[in-house]
Amino acid sequence: MKKIMTIAFAATMLAACGQKKDAPKVLVLYYSQTSNTKVVAEEIANRLGADITTIEAVEPYDGDFQATIERCLKERELDVLPDIQPLTVDFKKYDVVFLGYPVWFGTYAPPVAAFLTQNDLSGKTIVPFCTFGSGGLDSSVKDLATVQPDADIRPGYGVRAARLQAVPQEVERFLIAGGFLEGELEPLAEFPEQHPVIEEETAIFDAAVDGYPMLHAKAMTVASRAGYDGTEYVFTAENLPREGAPEMPKDEVQVYVLVADGQAPVFTQVVR
């Protein structure tokens, strides 16, 4: 396949030598509760030589999973957002903002929601990135576009917290594909039309989702392609009610699975 070259506008303009007077200023701005999103934020900032700062809640969320869930449920019931600390940088002077967050309840965490209600991003280029348990990149970017309709929102990057070891190589490809770093990428083929799963493919799906308590699903159809790190699959699966939650309705989900050479299958994201 013919190689494609994408030329960076952010990294090259931010280079220490030969920086142009009209170079756009780039900021990596993120909220991280457990440091997972921090890992991605620092990788992006280091690659681009960009400024970096955090969104902080005045009353920090407890690191305990259940305590965080309970607080979020209460805030959602009351329709309130947490107070956040003033930013330590002049946000308005940046042209390009990489905005990072963990996905909670299918969208960006409440401190990021608070930031978005307090700041107008009109005219800025926003590049979302997130960490999650199973998915939420697509849904959170849709929410971002709704609350900031006049921002230039670019395609985002998301990674499961269980796959942080993949961040360096995936972030590099993400930045090249977005035109923020110089480099070459072989274009991936599109996924072909899906077909009913066979026994071998069912086994791959079951192995990938085994042990993840928030996903109880049965693979129905699948398509696969050669990816950068191995064979990539996209399964259409019936999401069944989980144990202890029989009231949950059945629905269909898209489950992306990676099988790298010599490694067990892992799912990379769920799109609901």
Side-chain angles (χ1 to χ4, degrees):
M1 289 181 286
K2 185 178 179 181
K3 290 185 176 181
I4 59 173
M5 174 78 78
T6 54
I7 306 301
F9 75 89
T12 54
M13 290 181 178
L14 288 171
C17 298
Q19 185 174 3
K20 298 180 180 180
K21 291 182 180 180
D22 59 349
K25 293 198 58 77
V26 179
L27 174 68
V28 177
L29 174 65
Y30 71 97
Y31 169 74
S32 187
Q33 182 198 25
T34 63
S35 294
N36 290 334
T37 307
K38 179 182 179 182
V39 169
V40 184
E42 291 180 342
E43 185 70 29
I44 293 172
N46 289 338
R47 295 275 185 174
L48 297 181
D51 294 341
I52 184 170
T53 194
T54 59
I55 296 170
E56 302 284 351
V58 171
E59 181 185 347
Y61 286 77
D62 192 290
D64 176 77
F65 176 79
Q66 189 57 41
T68 299
I69 292 294
E70 292 175 0
R71 175 175 168 182
C72 285
L73 287 173
K74 183 176 180 180
E75 289 174 340
R76 287 161 68 91
E77 181 181 350
L78 297 174
D79 194 25
V80 297
L81 292 172
D83 293 328
I84 57 175
Q85 302 283 3
L87 292 183
T88 58
V89 298
D90 181 5
F91 172 74
K92 294 181 179 179
K93 73 179 183 180
Y94 293 94
D95 307 295
V96 180
V97 179
F98 283 76
L99 180 63
Y101 47 84
V103 172
W104 296 355
F105 293 92
T107 193
Y108 35 75
V112 175
F115 167 80
L116 291 171
T117 64
Q118 297 172 19
N119 293 274
D120 183 3
L121 309 186
S122 297
K124 293 187 183 295
T125 296
I126 308 299
V127 187
F129 64 95
C130 61
T131 57
F132 45 72
S134 60
L137 173 62
D138 291 352
S139 54
S140 63
V141 171
K142 287 179 182 178
D143 290 342
L144 176 57
T146 298
V147 299
Q148 296 289 341
D150 296 320
D152 176 14
I153 300 173
R154 300 292 179 87
Y157 169 71
V159 63
R160 287 184 64 211
R163 298 186 60 252
L164 291 181
Q165 75 282 356
V167 165
Q169 62 268 31
E170 290 187 354
V171 162
E172 180 178 30
R173 290 195 293 261
F174 171 66
L175 294 175
I176 292 172
F180 298 100
L181 283 182
E182 291 184 353
E184 295 181 349
L185 287 176
E186 293 284 354
L188 296 178
E190 297 290 335
F191 280 105
E193 185 176 349
Q194 294 202 1
H195 61 264
V197 293
I198 61 175
E199 184 176 351
E200 179 182 353
E201 293 162 337
T202 298
I204 289 172
F205 177 85
D206 291 344
V209 302
D210 181 50
Y212 187 73
M214 305 302 289
L215 183 61
H216 181 210
K218 178 182 178 181
M220 299 184 296
T221 60
V222 66
S224 64
R225 69 180 181 186
Y228 293 118
D229 300 316
T231 303
E232 298 177 349
Y233 297 82
V234 55
F235 289 89
T236 297
E238 184 180 25
N239 195 26
L240 305 173
R242 297 194 300 271
E243 184 177 351
E247 73 284 355
M248 292 183 61
K250 295 181 180 180
D251 59 0
E252 287 188 2
V253 294
Q254 301 289 313
V255 182
Y256 289 79
V257 171
L258 172 65
V259 181
D261 293 340
Q263 298 185 26
V266 294
F267 81 88
T268 57
Q269 68 167 326
V270 177
V271 178
R272 301 181 184 277

